[in-house]
Amino acid sequence: MDRSAGRRSLHNVYTNLELTEGTPSRIGEAADEFLNALPGDVKGLLDHLLNGALDGRNPPLPVPPLGFGEKAKLVRLILAAKRNPDARQKIVNILNSELNQTFRLTEYWFDPYIGISGRYNFTKAFYVTGKVDVGGFGAGSDITTQGSAALGCQITRNIYSELGFRYLYTNYEDDSNRFVWKTWTYGPQITTGIIF
């Protein structure tokens, strides 16, 4: 039996949303539409013009929509600009600056862990092995745990192969509570290794 303690590999999640404003003529047309719209219609018009660019439509990772709050901010800025004498130019400036941004989210953390692993040899060639560990403890994730069991074959003195099952659970939440990474990963696992 082996006891193990250490650090899991670095967890890193990255996603990006880039907004690029349209052509000057299209920005001018949009400014005219906002200028002529009733205050209650500005949000709907903005949704139509953005075509869902700031909506969190099935992101590839379980991350918050990166443009969260940007539509509400744009509506406030446009409504405030409509009250000024030079409203059209102010709206053009708002659209040019606010729709030319990049939003990024990067989360990374290390998890200290403690665990136990063992191996039982049936014969010189065949064995079973297992491992369980628990970690996180609030240092990285709130908690992370894994367990695995496998039937192995020592093919040569330095080469082995294992067929097993692995389960991994991670529960991480950032300090602002906007990013939650709660995953369960499990399934069969095939390993081939070389011992140096």
Side-chain angles (χ1 to χ4, degrees):
M1 285 260 178
D2 292 330
R3 289 187 167 95
S4 59
R7 292 186 176 209
R8 253 192 237 295
S9 60
L10 172 70
H11 299 273
N12 193 339
V13 177
Y14 172 81
T15 189
N16 183 66
L17 169 66
E18 187 169 335
L19 297 177
T20 306
E21 85 273 6
T23 62
S25 64
R26 186 63 191 116
I27 292 291
E29 291 170 14
D32 289 336
E33 291 180 51
F34 283 122
L35 193 58
N36 296 323
L38 296 171
D41 296 337
V42 168
K43 183 181 182 307
L45 178 58
L46 183 63
D47 282 338
H48 173 72
L49 293 172
L50 290 177
N51 197 25
L54 291 175
D55 298 332
R57 298 167 297 164
N58 300 320
L61 296 169
V63 297
L66 294 183
F68 182 78
E70 287 304 306
K71 280 197 291 189
K73 177 183 172 186
L74 272 167
V75 168
R76 283 194 308 274
L77 291 171
I78 291 167
L79 289 173
K82 282 171 66 78
R83 293 190 285 267
N84 289 300
D86 190 16
R88 185 183 188 280
Q89 188 56 47
K90 288 194 178 293
I91 292 172
V92 166
N93 293 342
I94 288 166
L95 294 176
N96 279 324
S97 65
E98 296 298 318
L99 295 181
N100 196 18
Q101 295 187 59
T102 299
F103 302 92
R104 290 184 177 92
L105 172 71
T106 301
E107 291 287 338
Y108 55 90
W109 65 95
F110 284 101
D111 282 328
Y113 71 92
I114 188 165
I116 189 167
S117 64
R119 175 175 163 159
Y120 178 78
N121 294 320
F122 292 122
T123 67
K124 195 173 183 178
F126 293 99
Y127 62 91
V128 291
T129 184
K131 176 181 179 178
V132 293
D133 63 53
V134 64
F137 312 113
S141 62
D142 293 331
I143 187 166
T144 179
T145 185
Q146 76 168 325
S148 64
L151 175 62
C153 177
Q154 195 71 44
I155 300 168
T156 69
R157 179 177 290 202
N158 297 333
I159 299 174
Y160 67 93
S161 186
E162 297 174 352
L163 175 62
F165 187 87
R166 181 177 179 212
Y167 171 84
L168 173 65
Y169 170 75
T170 303
N171 184 357
Y172 171 80
E173 191 170 320
D174 71 355
D175 295 333
S176 67
N177 296 325
R178 280 196 67 215
F179 177 81
V180 176
W181 182 266
K182 193 172 190 177
T183 60
W184 296 265
T185 305
Y186 56 89
Q189 178 173 291
I190 298 173
T191 305
T192 299
I194 300 173
I195 302 169
F196 294 99

mmCIF file of all heavy atoms in Angstrom, residues 33-43 45 79 82:
data_model
loop_
_atom_site.group_PDB
_atom_site.id
_atom_site.type_symbol
_atom_site.label_atom_id
_atom_site.label_comp_id
_atom_site.label_asym_id
_atom_site.label_seq_id
_atom_site.Cartn_x
_atom_site.Cartn_y
_atom_site.Cartn_z
ATOM 1 N N GLU A 33 -31.783 54.504 -36.020
ATOM 2 C CA GLU A 33 -32.883 53.685 -35.504
ATOM 3 C C GLU A 33 -33.073 53.898 -34.011
ATOM 4 O O GLU A 33 -34.208 54.012 -33.534
ATOM 5 C CB GLU A 33 -32.610 52.203 -35.799
ATOM 6 C CG GLU A 33 -32.686 51.845 -37.275
ATOM 7 C CD GLU A 33 -32.410 50.368 -37.527
ATOM 8 O OE1 GLU A 33 -33.039 49.516 -36.869
ATOM 9 O OE2 GLU A 33 -31.548 50.073 -38.381
ATOM 10 N N PHE A 34 -31.964 53.954 -33.249
ATOM 11 C CA PHE A 34 -32.066 54.206 -31.812
ATOM 12 C C PHE A 34 -32.614 55.599 -31.535
ATOM 13 O O PHE A 34 -33.396 55.788 -30.604
ATOM 14 C CB PHE A 34 -30.704 54.038 -31.125
ATOM 15 C CG PHE A 34 -30.296 52.618 -30.925
ATOM 16 C CD1 PHE A 34 -29.113 52.142 -31.462
ATOM 17 C CD2 PHE A 34 -31.091 51.737 -30.195
ATOM 18 C CE1 PHE A 34 -28.732 50.825 -31.280
ATOM 19 C CE2 PHE A 34 -30.722 50.412 -30.008
ATOM 20 C CZ PHE A 34 -29.527 49.952 -30.555
ATOM 21 N N LEU A 35 -32.217 56.570 -32.331
ATOM 22 C CA LEU A 35 -32.661 57.947 -32.140
ATOM 23 C C LEU A 35 -34.165 58.060 -32.335
ATOM 24 O O LEU A 35 -34.845 58.780 -31.595
ATOM 25 C CB LEU A 35 -31.922 58.856 -33.132
ATOM 26 C CG LEU A 35 -31.998 60.350 -32.897
ATOM 27 C CD1 LEU A 35 -31.458 60.704 -31.519
ATOM 28 C CD2 LEU A 35 -31.221 61.090 -33.971
ATOM 29 N N ASN A 36 -34.700 57.316 -33.299
ATOM 30 C CA ASN A 36 -36.128 57.392 -33.610
ATOM 31 C C ASN A 36 -36.980 56.426 -32.786
ATOM 32 O O ASN A 36 -38.203 56.501 -32.828
ATOM 33 C CB ASN A 36 -36.354 57.121 -35.107
ATOM 34 C CG ASN A 36 -35.713 58.184 -35.974
ATOM 35 O OD1 ASN A 36 -35.716 59.356 -35.621
ATOM 36 N ND2 ASN A 36 -35.135 57.771 -37.095
ATOM 37 N N ALA A 37 -36.347 55.508 -32.056
ATOM 38 C CA ALA A 37 -37.098 54.510 -31.280
ATOM 39 C C ALA A 37 -37.652 55.124 -30.001
ATOM 40 O O ALA A 37 -37.054 56.039 -29.417
ATOM 41 C CB ALA A 37 -36.195 53.332 -30.934
ATOM 42 N N LEU A 38 -38.796 54.630 -29.590
ATOM 43 C CA LEU A 38 -39.343 55.018 -28.284
ATOM 44 C C LEU A 38 -38.468 54.416 -27.189
ATOM 45 O O LEU A 38 -37.866 53.357 -27.383
ATOM 46 C CB LEU A 38 -40.780 54.509 -28.145
ATOM 47 C CG LEU A 38 -41.795 55.106 -29.129
ATOM 48 C CD1 LEU A 38 -43.119 54.363 -29.028
ATOM 49 C CD2 LEU A 38 -41.980 56.596 -28.855
ATOM 50 N N PRO A 39 -38.369 55.055 -26.015
ATOM 51 C CA PRO A 39 -37.521 54.515 -24.938
ATOM 52 C C PRO A 39 -37.807 53.048 -24.612
ATOM 53 O O PRO A 39 -36.891 52.273 -24.360
ATOM 54 C CB PRO A 39 -37.822 55.435 -23.759
ATOM 55 C CG PRO A 39 -38.215 56.727 -24.387
ATOM 56 C CD PRO A 39 -38.946 56.356 -25.642
ATOM 57 N N GLY A 40 -39.070 52.660 -24.642
ATOM 58 C CA GLY A 40 -39.426 51.278 -24.327
ATOM 59 C C GLY A 40 -39.020 50.274 -25.395
ATOM 60 O O GLY A 40 -39.014 49.065 -25.153
ATOM 61 N N ASP A 41 -38.696 50.772 -26.599
ATOM 62 C CA ASP A 41 -38.335 49.883 -27.705
ATOM 63 C C ASP A 41 -36.820 49.712 -27.872
ATOM 64 O O ASP A 41 -36.368 48.924 -28.708
ATOM 65 C CB ASP A 41 -38.915 50.422 -29.023
ATOM 66 C CG ASP A 41 -40.433 50.425 -29.019
ATOM 67 O OD1 ASP A 41 -41.018 49.640 -28.243
ATOM 68 O OD2 ASP A 41 -41.023 51.215 -29.785
ATOM 69 N N VAL A 42 -36.019 50.466 -27.096
ATOM 70 C CA VAL A 42 -34.565 50.442 -27.280
ATOM 71 C C VAL A 42 -33.989 49.056 -27.011
ATOM 72 O O VAL A 42 -33.166 48.555 -27.775
ATOM 73 C CB VAL A 42 -33.886 51.516 -26.397
ATOM 74 C CG1 VAL A 42 -32.379 51.316 -26.352
ATOM 75 C CG2 VAL A 42 -34.217 52.910 -26.926
ATOM 76 N N LYS A 43 -34.429 48.390 -25.938
ATOM 77 C CA LYS A 43 -33.885 47.070 -25.605
ATOM 78 C C LYS A 43 -34.190 46.055 -26.707
ATOM 79 O O LYS A 43 -33.317 45.298 -27.129
ATOM 80 C CB LYS A 43 -34.417 46.579 -24.263
ATOM 81 C CG LYS A 43 -33.812 45.233 -23.851
ATOM 82 C CD LYS A 43 -34.382 44.756 -22.525
ATOM 83 C CE LYS A 43 -33.775 43.462 -22.064
ATOM 84 N NZ LYS A 43 -33.811 42.380 -23.027
ATOM 85 N N LEU A 45 -34.819 46.657 -29.863
ATOM 86 C CA LEU A 45 -34.057 47.017 -31.049
ATOM 87 C C LEU A 45 -32.595 46.589 -30.903
ATOM 88 O O LEU A 45 -31.993 46.060 -31.839
ATOM 89 C CB LEU A 45 -34.143 48.533 -31.281
ATOM 90 C CG LEU A 45 -33.365 49.094 -32.463
ATOM 91 C CD1 LEU A 45 -33.787 48.445 -33.775
ATOM 92 C CD2 LEU A 45 -33.541 50.613 -32.536
ATOM 93 N N LEU A 79 -30.126 55.346 -23.878
ATOM 94 C CA LEU A 79 -31.229 56.165 -23.361
ATOM 95 C C LEU A 79 -30.725 57.500 -22.828
ATOM 96 O O LEU A 79 -31.357 58.544 -23.034
ATOM 97 C CB LEU A 79 -31.997 55.409 -22.271
ATOM 98 C CG LEU A 79 -32.851 54.241 -22.757
ATOM 99 C CD1 LEU A 79 -33.435 53.466 -21.580
ATOM 100 C CD2 LEU A 79 -33.958 54.727 -23.684
ATOM 101 N N LYS A 82 -29.859 59.773 -25.817
ATOM 102 C CA LYS A 82 -31.036 60.294 -26.530
ATOM 103 C C LYS A 82 -31.523 61.614 -25.944
ATOM 104 O O LYS A 82 -32.204 62.377 -26.616
ATOM 105 C CB LYS A 82 -32.179 59.265 -26.480
ATOM 106 C CG LYS A 82 -32.007 58.112 -27.454
ATOM 107 C CD LYS A 82 -33.017 57.001 -27.230
ATOM 108 C CE LYS A 82 -34.426 57.385 -27.518
ATOM 109 N NZ LYS A 82 -34.790 57.418 -28.930
#
